[in-house]
Amino acid sequence: MRHQRIAERVWAFVRPYVYIAPSLIVFVLFFLYPIGFLVFLSFTSWDLISPQKEFVGLANYLELFQSKEFREVVRNTVLYTGLTVGLSLVLAFFLALWLNRKSGFHRIVQGAVFSPHIVSLVSVSLLWLWMMDPQYGLLNAILTGLGFPPFPWLTDPETALYGLVLVGVWKIVGYNTLVFLAGLQSIPREIDEAAMLDRASPWRKLVKITVPMLSPTWFFLLVVNTINAFQVFEPVQIMTQGGPVNSTNMLVYFIYENGFEFFKIGYASAAGVVLLVMIGVCTMIHFWLLSRKVHYR
Amino acid sequence: MRSVWKGLEYLALGLVALIFVFPFVWMVLTAFKSPREVMRFPPQWLPETWQWENFVHAWASGPFLTYLANSAFVALAILVLQLVTGIPAAYALARYRFRGKKVFFGMTLAALMLPPQITFLPVFLQLSRWDLLNTYWALILPYATSAFGIFLLRQAFLQVPEEVIEAARLDQASEWQIIWKIMVPMARPVLVTFGLFSFIYHWNDYFWPLVMTNQEHIRTLPVGVAMLKESEGGVSWNLVMAGNVMLVLPILLLFFVAQRQIIRAFVYSGIK
């Protein structure tokens, strides 16, 4: 009898750990441990073949920051992220204001705008690569049809990154729009009505009420979109392979190329750590915002 | 006057919808064209005769049945595993007090924000040491639990009133029974939401299968479709788009059927 009681109490103590154990094991094996391993690898030189991983200290990082190619990669990643996030947020905000109605037609448009978001980025990349084809592509056909000169969407190092930005914005803007819509619908009715009574102009209402009321949504989308854009890979790999002349090469593709094509594991890992730091900073900002938001509710 | 404005507004809305939907229409139209029609400038809108055999050719240009089966199997296996591992973990986080709970929950949140694009290199090396590259394990195991799923389910389990659980305990239900007979049925909408999210995400995933596999028998549909582009002697856009239709259509059909749940699944994947 007593033994049974003790067994029960032990089990009650252990049970939560048993329940989280499977998830915990997966986290440790495929999340925690790999991050440690990544940092370790970034201090070694390794070509995947030789049995020894030689410790080289900060050499990989020094090589990275002295490399013109890598500086361009970071520049491209930051530029791509800034443009994609900025454009898609502003566009999405106005789209959400416009689409914020309950009619069936508005719903259909919401669905249409959102549809690119759930489709594979591979499809999206292939689709736009075809539409941006310099000779037979639809986009240049439309441009020349309207009397404009054709545009070098992906072939000119000066402009190729903008081609990828266009694709990135097209893919994400619908998601942002729907998050903004969710935010708009959570603004209390009374505030709107009070503004009406005060005869506030629509513009004033927008600047003084709607935008500030949505500030948690703005920050949330800013952080999530930024983290998302830092990891862009498919459009780079499928549409441009980083070219022409490195003008669209971005961090994940750079890591992939150095790791899997040039077998410079340590060097690629150091670039991985740079990405980890960039995303880590965004994540911390996100948590900080989350905790603040929870606070004032 | 008012109705004129309204008409104009609807026209403009239609135009916006077109910007987002038309590329898919263009994809389908291209998939039905002959090679000669694809290489025409300015492009012609409709194919003269609809080339159904493009799909046959695209399908036959690689082991597409294998790709398709792999994609479906991997996405489903991941979902099932995520539920099996995530449900008890979410229950423990929602209903028990224990040491280390905060640490684990914080880790879950951090994992939510850190993408696989960061860890692929070390995971690749580890899996290669275990000799698991080019196996289903490499595609499935790293996703065997989902931080997002745990997070979402924890929220749902927190909503279940304490009295329901007390009543079940009085009826001698074991904790395990409480999870599967009470919590899970009550969290059904959340489970559907998460299920759609997870399935679509892994059906679409390209990066992980690309990095973890290099043999055709194990590769998934997105990788197969992307490889259609690599044909010798120039890209056959009609075939690439035919492959693309195979990849996109199931998701768009699913979206058509369950639009509301899917939007909720994706939009709330971050917010809550």
Side-chain angles (χ1 to χ4, degrees):
Chain A
M1 220 35 197
R2 214 150 130 226
H3 283 291
Q4 210 181 342
R5 287 275 297 279
I6 293 171
E8 251 169 49
R9 284 182 62 180
V10 169
W11 174 230
F13 176 78
V14 176
R15 185 159 45 210
Y17 300 103
V18 174
Y19 282 179
I20 61 169
S23 294
L24 192 63
I25 291 168
V26 177
F27 274 147
V28 171
L29 279 182
F30 295 104
F31 168 68
L32 214 59
Y33 170 74
I35 285 178
F37 195 26
L38 181 78
V39 175
F40 165 74
L41 285 168
S42 76
F43 295 115
T44 68
S45 78
W46 194 34
D47 55 7
L48 215 57
I49 300 150
S50 55
Q52 292 288 321
K53 300 186 188 78
E54 199 191 335
F55 188 78
V56 294
L58 290 173
N60 288 320
Y61 292 93
L62 287 175
E63 195 187 335
L64 268 186
F65 290 114
Q66 279 161 4
S67 137
K68 184 169 161 268
E69 192 200 2
F70 183 71
R71 283 202 302 264
E72 282 167 359
V73 166
V74 173
R75 187 201 75 111
N76 294 339
T77 311
V78 171
L79 189 63
Y80 170 87
T81 300
L83 285 174
T84 310
V85 175
L87 282 172
S88 67
L89 276 181
V90 172
L91 275 174
F93 177 67
F94 286 106
L95 265 176
L97 287 178
W98 189 14
L99 291 178
N100 189 16
R101 239 160 295 168
K102 289 248 145 78
S103 86
F105 192 68
H106 285 80
R107 267 252 164 81
I108 293 172
V109 179
Q110 286 172 20
V113 171
F114 186 75
S115 59
H117 185 65
I118 56 155
V119 165
S120 167
L121 202 42
V122 169
S123 307
V124 169
S125 302
L126 289 170
L127 192 48
W128 283 87
L129 181 61
W130 163 226
M131 291 201 300
M132 288 173 172
D133 188 279
Q135 267 180 298
Y136 307 108
L138 182 66
L139 294 192
N140 278 346
I142 293 172
L143 280 183
T144 49
L146 293 171
F148 294 102
F151 187 79
W153 295 102
L154 300 168
T155 45
D156 184 334
E158 293 289 314
T159 54
L161 194 68
Y162 302 118
L164 296 194
V165 169
L166 176 63
V167 178
V169 171
W170 183 79
K171 176 100 166 93
I172 193 86
V173 80
Y175 170 78
N176 291 350
T177 304
L178 278 135
V179 176
F180 271 129
L181 275 170
L184 282 173
Q185 275 147 24
S186 70
I187 294 180
R189 262 273 169 84
E190 302 83 64
I191 295 182
D192 244 26
E193 281 158 10
M196 287 245 283
L197 286 176
D198 286 345
R199 305 230 182 115
S201 74
W203 179 249
R204 227 182 121 71
K205 209 185 100 192
L206 188 72
V207 175
K208 294 278 172 185
I209 298 174
T210 314
V211 173
M213 284 298 286
L214 284 182
S215 58
T217 311
W218 280 97
F219 283 125
F220 164 78
L221 284 177
L222 186 68
V223 176
V224 170
N225 283 0
T226 303
I227 293 177
N228 199 39
F230 277 155
Q231 315 156 33
V232 62
F233 174 77
E234 282 88 342
V236 183
Q237 199 239 2
I238 292 173
M239 298 177 75
T240 64
Q241 289 86 48
V245 288
N246 208 35
S247 64
T248 59
N249 196 357
M250 288 185 261
L251 267 169
V252 177
Y253 187 70
F254 178 85
I255 300 168
Y256 168 85
E257 230 186 359
N258 276 284
F260 287 84
E261 279 168 33
F262 314 141
F263 307 119
K264 292 171 76 176
I265 300 293
Y267 190 58
S269 299
V273 172
V274 172
L275 180 63
L276 176 70
V277 169
M278 285 164 72
I279 292 180
V281 168
C282 286
T283 305
M284 278 190 268
I285 295 174
H286 185 90
F287 281 140
W288 178 72
L289 285 168
L290 269 181
S291 61
R292 272 184 47 143
K293 213 174 104 187
V294 172
H295 215 67
Y296 84 55
R297 282 231 165 137
Chain B
M1 203 49 202
R2 242 189 133 166
S3 63
V4 172
W5 275 117
K6 197 150 194 196
L8 277 177
E9 196 212 335
Y10 273 53
L11 202 70
L13 275 175
L15 210 64
V16 168
L18 205 63
I19 291 172
F20 289 91
V21 171
F22 188 74
F24 296 120
V25 177
W26 191 241
M27 168 182 85
V28 174
L29 289 176
T30 306
F32 281 105
K33 285 179 186 172
S34 68
R36 208 165 35 82
E37 286 170 318
V38 173
M39 295 296 161
R40 195 167 282 173
F41 196 87
Q44 85 193 57
W45 294 109
L46 296 174
E48 261 155 44
T49 43
W50 294 68
Q51 311 280 327
W52 288 93
E53 61 268 29
N54 284 348
F55 288 88
V56 181
H57 291 319
W59 184 262
S61 67
F64 268 84
L65 188 63
T66 310
Y67 296 151
L68 188 75
N70 286 343
S71 273
F73 172 70
V74 168
L76 279 175
I78 287 174
L79 174 59
V80 169
L81 272 175
Q82 285 177 339
L83 292 177
V84 169
T85 59
I87 287 170
Y91 182 75
L93 286 173
R95 292 290 168 178
Y96 294 141
R97 302 164 109 215
F98 58 96
R99 247 163 195 271
K101 178 171 157 174
K102 278 222 169 114
V103 176
F104 180 72
F105 192 57
M107 248 171 65
T108 315
L109 283 172
L112 199 63
M113 307 296 295
L114 282 178
Q117 275 79 349
I118 286 182
T119 48
F120 77 94
L121 209 54
V123 173
F124 171 85
L125 295 172
Q126 193 56 54
L127 289 173
S128 126
R129 195 185 304 166
W130 290 335
D131 219 7
L132 288 179
L133 295 176
N134 289 309
T135 66
Y136 288 120
W137 298 114
L139 298 180
I140 295 168
L141 269 188
Y143 296 106
T145 195
S146 157
F148 170 53
I150 292 175
F151 193 55
L152 211 62
L153 282 166
R154 175 183 163 271
Q155 300 285 93
F157 291 164
L158 281 171
Q159 311 277 316
V160 178
E162 190 64 41
E163 296 83 66
V164 178
I165 299 168
E166 290 297 322
R169 284 200 181 124
L170 284 177
D171 285 344
Q172 308 276 308
S174 69
E175 292 294 289
W176 200 241
Q177 283 171 325
I178 291 175
I179 295 180
W180 297 101
K181 297 240 168 86
I182 298 174
M183 294 310 230
V184 168
M186 287 184 92
R188 230 180 102 183
V190 172
L191 288 170
V192 171
T193 296
F194 172 69
L196 286 167
F197 175 85
S198 170
F199 184 84
I200 294 174
Y201 184 91
H202 292 289
W203 173 272
N204 285 341
D205 190 23
Y206 171 71
F207 185 72
W208 200 261
L210 177 77
V211 172
M212 295 301 151
T213 63
N214 58 16
Q215 291 170 9
E216 284 186 334
H217 72 92
I218 195 75
R219 293 204 129 160
T220 55
L221 198 52
V223 184
V225 171
M227 283 194 311
L228 280 175
K229 189 175 76 86
E230 311 296 326
S231 62
E232 290 156 49
V235 187
S236 315
W237 283 113
N238 51 347
L239 298 191
V240 176
M241 290 303 131
N244 221 353
V245 169
M246 294 191 268
L247 179 60
V248 167
L249 210 60
I251 296 300
L252 284 185
L253 283 178
L254 196 62
F255 185 53
F256 191 69
V257 176
Q259 186 174 330
R260 276 199 185 176
Q261 282 97 319
I262 289 176
I263 286 180
R264 201 173 57 193
F266 278 80
V267 169
Y268 286 87
S269 65
I271 294 176
K272 289 259 161 109

